[in-house]
């Protein structure tokens, strides 16, 4: 409630609505203005409608900003949780670019597994647990890795960030199916504080993260091919 009143205080639309309301009271309270009160009232009604439309637009923009900041916070929180806590395989970290690229593309193949599932059906009706494991493994195994070549490193970082964001989303927004523990589903609206509106937002965010991950994987593969890191 406090955030709602803060929003009203800082909203031009709310201020406009308040001013028009006061003017309306004055118009109908002053006897001398009664002959033209209906004209002034009509103008004030149009002004109020305009203020309400402005208010609706401001509210939607604020909600989009909140959703964007919530997603960013979720991603950054996941990164902080992994810093200094994730065991790093020394042998993997020391691999040359070729072996590192082959390992990544082996974990995240495009012919089957999660990448293929997201490409063919990104509706998130159900996610296979076995297909999600390589995603989490990639996030943990390569959390402190880098490529010697700057171009391949840029492609790798884009892939890693997209995989990390998707992995965090899976952990926070999905749950195992009650009758099939081999699959996960997006937590339904009746188990969320924000109800089905929050569910729809979570699903939309997941679809966006999935698309970004698939695209980043394709770009990394193309870069690896062009640089001769893989056959």
């Amino acid at each position: 409630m406090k955030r709602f009143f803060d929003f009203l205080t800082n909203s031009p639309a709310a201020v406009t609505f308040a001013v028009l309301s006061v003017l309306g009271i004055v118009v109908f309270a002053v006897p001398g203005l009664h002959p033209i009160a209906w004209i002034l009232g009509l103008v004030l009604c149009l002004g109020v409608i305009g203020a309400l439309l402005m208010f609706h637009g401001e509210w939607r923009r604020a909600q989009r900003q909140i959703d964007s900041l919530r997603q960013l916070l979720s991603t950054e929180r996941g990164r902080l949780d992994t810093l200094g806590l994730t065991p790093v395989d020394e042998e993997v970290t020391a691999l040359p670019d070729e072996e590192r690229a082959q390992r990544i593309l082996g974990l995240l193949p495009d012919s089957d597994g999660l990448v293929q599932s997201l490409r063919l059906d990104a509706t998130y009706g159900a996610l296979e647990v076995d297909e999600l494991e390589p995603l989490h493994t990639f996030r943990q195994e390569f959390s402190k890795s880098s490529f010697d070549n700057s171009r391949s490193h840029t492609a790798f970082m884009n892939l890693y960030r997209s995989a990390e964001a998707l992995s965090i989303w899976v952990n926070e927004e999905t749950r195992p199916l009650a009758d099939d523990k081999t699959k996960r589903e997006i937590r339904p609206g009746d188990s969320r504080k924000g109800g089905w509106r929050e569910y729809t937002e979570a699903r939309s965010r997941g679809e966006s993260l999935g698309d970004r991950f698939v695209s980043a994987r394709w770009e990394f593969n193309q870069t690896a091919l062009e640089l001769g890191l893989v056959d």
Side-chain angles (χ1 to χ4, degrees):
M1 184 63 70
K2 180 179 182 299
R3 289 186 296 178
F4 178 72
F5 283 115
D6 289 341
F7 175 78
L8 292 180
T9 304
N10 294 281
S11 168
V15 174
T16 302
F17 182 83
V19 171
L20 291 174
S21 299
V22 172
L23 289 176
I25 294 173
V26 172
V27 166
F28 289 99
V30 177
L33 296 177
H34 286 176
I36 59 171
W38 70 273
I39 298 177
L40 296 177
L42 179 60
V43 173
L44 289 173
C45 287
L46 293 175
V48 168
I49 292 173
L52 290 175
L53 291 175
M54 291 170 55
F55 180 82
H56 178 68
E58 291 176 358
W59 182 260
R60 292 194 63 179
R61 286 193 296 273
Q63 289 301 310
R64 284 196 296 268
Q65 291 176 347
I66 291 172
D67 292 339
S68 177
L69 290 173
R70 186 179 296 166
Q71 178 180 339
L72 179 61
L73 177 61
S74 176
T75 300
E76 294 302 324
R77 186 173 60 206
R79 287 182 182 156
L80 289 175
D81 290 343
T82 59
L83 285 177
L85 298 178
T86 304
V88 180
D89 191 332
E90 296 292 340
E91 294 182 2
V92 173
T93 304
L95 290 176
D97 285 359
E98 292 83 358
E99 294 183 42
R100 195 175 292 117
Q102 292 168 13
R103 169 62 175 164
I104 292 172
L105 296 176
L107 274 173
L108 307 171
D110 61 354
S111 57
D112 56 17
L114 181 63
V115 176
Q116 185 184 53
S117 295
L118 292 178
R119 185 186 295 113
L120 297 178
D121 182 14
T123 59
Y124 289 97
L127 296 168
E128 298 286 344
V129 173
D130 289 345
E131 293 183 352
L132 292 170
E133 285 304 318
L135 175 72
H136 302 314
T137 299
F138 169 65
R139 175 189 170 192
Q140 296 172 355
E141 190 172 306
F142 290 88
S143 62
K144 296 183 180 179
S145 296
S146 63
F147 279 69
D148 296 330
N149 181 280
S150 59
R151 185 180 168 195
S152 57
H153 181 70
T154 299
F156 161 72
M157 288 306 300
N158 290 336
L159 175 59
Y160 183 83
R161 292 191 185 99
S162 66
E164 181 183 44
L166 181 60
S167 174
I168 293 172
W169 178 88
V170 168
N171 290 335
E172 295 184 348
E173 302 292 352
T174 69
R175 69 179 187 184
L177 286 174
D179 55 351
D180 187 355
K181 300 302 181 181
T182 66
K183 297 181 180 179
R184 296 180 69 91
E185 65 174 354
I186 303 176
R187 289 188 293 107
D190 53 17
S191 66
R192 295 171 177 269
K193 291 183 179 179
W196 290 101
R197 177 180 177 276
E198 183 180 328
Y199 165 85
T200 301
E201 292 172 352
R203 182 167 187 156
S204 177
R205 189 164 64 252
E207 292 173 356
S208 177
L209 292 174
D211 290 342
R212 191 185 310 169
F213 168 68
V214 171
S215 177
R217 195 274 178 199
W218 182 88
E219 292 177 0
F220 177 78
N221 182 62
Q222 289 299 112
T223 301
L225 287 171
E226 292 172 7
L227 294 177
L229 301 181
V230 294
D231 298 329

